[in-house]
Amino acid sequence: MPQKLDIKMREPALVNSETGSCFDATEVDLVKGRAGGHGSLPAKVVDVSAFSLSRRTSRKTPGTFMRKGAGNTGTYTAEMDSVSVAKKTKMKDYQAYAERPNPPNTEFRRFYERGDLPVQVDHGGVHNRIAWKVGIDKLDFHHYLPIFFDGLRELEEPYCFLATQGVYDMMETGSSKVLPVIPQLIIPIKTALNTRQKKVIVKVLKVLQCLVTADAGAEGQNLIGQALVPYYRQILPVLNIFIRQTENLGDGIDYGQQKKENLGELIMETLEYFEIHGGEDAFINIKYLVPTYQSVVLS
């Protein structure tokens, strides 16, 4: 019996059980979790020897000892080669690298489902675009830009696309209005980074690179980059945790490099943006929070 081709259109998988869609409002009041909270971290076995002279031991059984004639003393085998035997295991502190909760209670989702945002998806051409119902230059950036930044930690459509593309459109068109809003953007950025989810961190880092260069035009004022320097204490600690997350593939090909999805390299690139556009005090503040960072300006 020939197999039928499955060409049915399906709804996208929901990341959160509490979420709805653009036509089915999310019950935000029922979401009790806090984004980036530490309540659901993986439990680790406590090492008693770290706090006392006691030591954890296990009961020996006859099976734990080597039997007569089972050793390979005096003979060389391929398994004894240090390259093949040594397994490169990464030392992971699961408490630091573990993903934090990311509940669907963003301000962007609440305002969008309520119909208070002047945006909608324009399904035209090769890529989707945002159809703005009001001119971007007429928007109140103090009200709308923090809402769009809060939606950067969304992972479901259409919220993810609308929030991310809306941020880029507002920074491109109204770059002169971004500088006064910088203090209101720090908490949404910090909350998104504290989720410690790779997709969210990569998205936020790309937005930060665009943010510090938003006013670096022909005049080259770099005022936004300098305005971010006092807030490095809120932004950089999470970057310092993941700065070593580079994938060593040997002679393989890292296809994520083209899309700028290699987290460690993207963090280093973002820190270089911060230093170049952050003024004379940027490097010393970056070095204080990310000790492994090396200057690209002074060299």
Side-chain angles (χ1 to χ4, degrees):
M1 185 176 179
Q3 185 179 3
K4 295 182 180 180
L5 296 178
D6 189 3
I7 56 175
K8 294 181 180 179
M9 296 184 63
R10 289 185 171 84
E11 296 181 359
L14 299 180
V15 180
N16 301 284
S17 58
E18 307 92 344
T19 188
S21 65
C22 54
F23 304 106
D24 182 17
T26 306
E27 297 180 356
V28 180
D29 297 336
L30 300 180
V31 180
K32 303 300 181 182
R34 182 176 65 88
H38 304 279
S40 59
L41 293 177
K44 296 183 67 177
V45 179
V46 178
D47 185 8
V48 294
S49 62
F51 307 99
S52 64
L53 298 178
S54 302
R55 184 171 296 179
R56 185 182 297 275
T57 59
S58 59
R59 185 178 181 85
K60 300 292 184 180
T61 61
T64 58
F65 298 95
M66 183 179 294
R67 297 179 181 274
K68 182 179 179 180
N72 51 8
T73 306
T75 59
Y76 174 80
T77 59
E79 288 77 10
M80 296 178 61
D81 191 357
S82 60
V83 178
S84 60
V85 172
K87 295 182 179 179
K88 298 180 180 179
T89 58
K90 293 184 178 180
M91 295 298 295
K92 269 194 172 183
D93 185 1
Y94 292 99
Q95 298 287 341
Y97 292 98
E99 294 184 355
R100 268 52 171 179
N102 187 11
N105 57 355
T106 62
E107 288 294 308
F108 180 85
R109 182 187 291 252
R110 186 164 65 91
F111 275 81
Y112 179 75
E113 292 179 344
R114 206 165 61 182
D116 290 344
L117 296 180
V119 293
Q120 66 182 23
V121 182
D122 180 13
H123 301 280
V126 180
H127 301 288
N128 292 336
R129 297 188 299 269
I130 289 185
W132 291 88
K133 303 175 184 178
V134 180
I136 299 179
D137 54 341
K138 299 179 180 179
L139 293 176
D140 181 8
F141 274 49
H142 284 275
H143 175 70
Y144 286 104
L145 192 58
I147 294 176
F148 276 83
F149 264 82
D150 192 40
L152 291 178
R153 62 181 177 90
E154 287 282 357
L155 295 175
E156 293 172 333
E157 301 297 344
Y159 317 105
C160 177
F161 167 74
L162 285 172
T164 307
Q165 191 59 43
V167 167
Y168 284 119
D169 290 352
M170 295 179 73
M171 288 191 299
E172 180 182 359
T173 305
S175 58
S176 60
K177 297 183 178 181
V178 175
L179 180 61
V181 197
I182 291 297
Q184 298 174 247
L185 306 180
I186 302 304
I187 291 181
I189 293 174
K190 179 183 177 181
T191 304
L193 292 176
N194 281 340
T195 60
R196 307 196 185 187
Q197 298 182 1
K198 183 179 178 181
K199 292 183 179 180
V200 177
I201 296 177
V202 168
K203 190 194 310 181
V204 173
L205 290 177
K206 293 179 181 179
V207 170
L208 286 175
Q209 292 182 9
C210 184
L211 178 64
V212 297
T213 57
D215 63 341
E219 300 178 358
Q221 296 178 353
N222 294 327
L223 296 179
I224 294 180
Q226 298 177 27
L228 286 174
V229 174
Y231 302 104
Y232 283 172
R233 290 174 179 267
Q234 284 76 30
I235 300 175
L236 300 189
V238 175
L239 305 189
N240 185 38
I241 296 174
F242 292 95
I243 194 170
R244 293 298 182 186
Q245 295 294 308
T246 55
E247 300 177 1
N248 185 7
L249 302 180
D251 57 349
I253 301 175
D254 184 10
Y255 292 99
Q257 213 170 20
Q258 184 178 1
K259 300 179 181 179
K260 291 186 177 182
E261 294 179 354
N262 192 320
L263 191 55
E265 294 182 1
L266 189 59
I267 290 175
M268 287 298 299
E269 184 179 344
T270 305
L271 294 178
E272 292 174 1
Y273 272 75
F274 281 175
E275 183 187 3
I276 294 173
H277 301 281
E280 56 184 8
D281 296 331
F283 172 70
I284 188 64
N285 286 275
I286 296 174
K287 188 71 174 178
Y288 180 76
L289 295 165
V290 187
T292 58
Y293 178 73
Q294 299 296 325
S295 175
V296 295
V297 176
L298 301 179
S299 59

